[in-house]
Amino acid sequence: MSDSRAATTRLRAELAGLGVTSAYEIGDDATLSVWIGLVVRFRDGFYRWQEGAVKQRHLGTDPVGCAIRVARRYAELQADVPPWWEDLVNVLRGDVANDNP
């Protein structure tokens, strides 16, 4: 198992323990999509997560701490959906999403 895959597997498990069960690996063994627009990548020994234009990083040796930060931001986004979210949903899902929740 690669370092990236092991790191994302550990992070995903920690996120699930915090109630963030929607996170999924996108197929490159290094990237987790937590929520539309909230993505975590493992590279060069760091978890690098971004939401929109905001970028953060966290030591790769601390998946627990990273999961806490990401889960906190996830909860904030769920509680107060940012204005750019609807535009991003339309771009990623297409026009068919307009009639569906």
Side-chain angles (χ1 to χ4, degrees):
M1 181 181 292
S2 71
D3 288 344
S4 296
R5 184 172 188 164
T8 55
T9 299
R10 285 191 304 269
L11 179 61
R12 187 173 179 193
E14 293 297 335
L15 286 168
L18 294 170
V20 181
T21 58
S22 60
Y24 61 93
E25 197 268 319
I26 66 164
D28 65 358
D29 291 340
T31 308
L32 286 178
S33 177
V34 179
W35 191 57
I36 193 163
L38 178 57
V39 178
V40 182
R41 291 179 181 86
F42 183 81
R43 190 180 78 219
D44 301 328
F46 287 93
Y47 292 106
R48 300 168 190 274
W49 57 280
Q50 91 180 60
E51 169 241 322
V54 177
K55 295 180 181 180
Q56 302 286 330
R57 89 178 178 174
H58 196 91
L59 283 174
T61 56
D62 183 22
V64 174
C66 183
I68 291 169
R69 291 177 68 194
V70 171
R72 184 179 304 134
R73 185 62 187 141
Y74 173 80
E76 290 170 354
L77 289 168
Q78 293 291 309
D80 186 25
V81 177
W84 53 261
W85 190 81
E86 287 297 328
D87 294 335
L88 184 58
V89 168
N90 289 334
V91 167
L92 294 177
R93 292 185 183 166
D95 293 334
V96 295
N98 291 333
D99 296 329
N100 299 308

